[in-house]
């Protein structure tokens, strides 16, 4: 895995972890922030031809999408 993919994967993992922790703590504003970050990273990956379906479970992606609306 090249450096771009490694950093991208690490940041996606961090955003997912942050989202999970914010949901557990009931911090809606932080849920929104981590969701927006996650969606931005997934979009960036897609624009570079990187498939993140194995990195981000569909249920997490759905939660993030709902949170930013």
């Amino acid at each position: 895995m090249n450096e771009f993919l490694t950093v991208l994967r690490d940041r996606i993992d961090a955003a997912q972890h942050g989202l999970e922790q914010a949901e557990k703590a009931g911090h809606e504003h932080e849920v929104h922030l981590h969701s927006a970050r996650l969606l931005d990273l997934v979009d960036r990956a897609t624009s570079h031809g990187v498939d993140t379906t194995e990195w981000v479970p569909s249920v997490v992606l759905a939660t993030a999408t709902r949170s930013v609306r």
Side-chain angles (χ1 to χ4, degrees):
M1 191 178 297
N2 67 33
E3 185 177 355
F4 173 76
L5 290 178
T6 300
V7 171
L8 182 63
R9 177 75 186 256
D10 288 347
R11 290 183 181 174
I12 286 175
D13 288 345
Q16 287 184 91
H17 180 73
L19 175 56
E20 178 184 333
Q21 295 302 309
E23 285 180 317
K24 285 181 182 178
H27 297 148
E28 291 183 35
H29 180 69
E30 288 185 26
V31 168
H32 177 80
L33 294 176
H34 291 293
S35 294
R37 180 67 175 145
L38 178 60
L39 292 173
D40 179 56
L41 290 165
V42 169
D43 185 52
R44 181 160 300 163
T46 300
S47 72
H48 286 278
V50 177
D51 181 9
T52 60
T53 55
E54 291 185 21
W55 298 355
V56 183
S58 60
V59 67
V60 173
L61 201 53
T63 297
T65 301
R66 279 192 311 273
S67 297
V68 295
R69 288 187 180 170

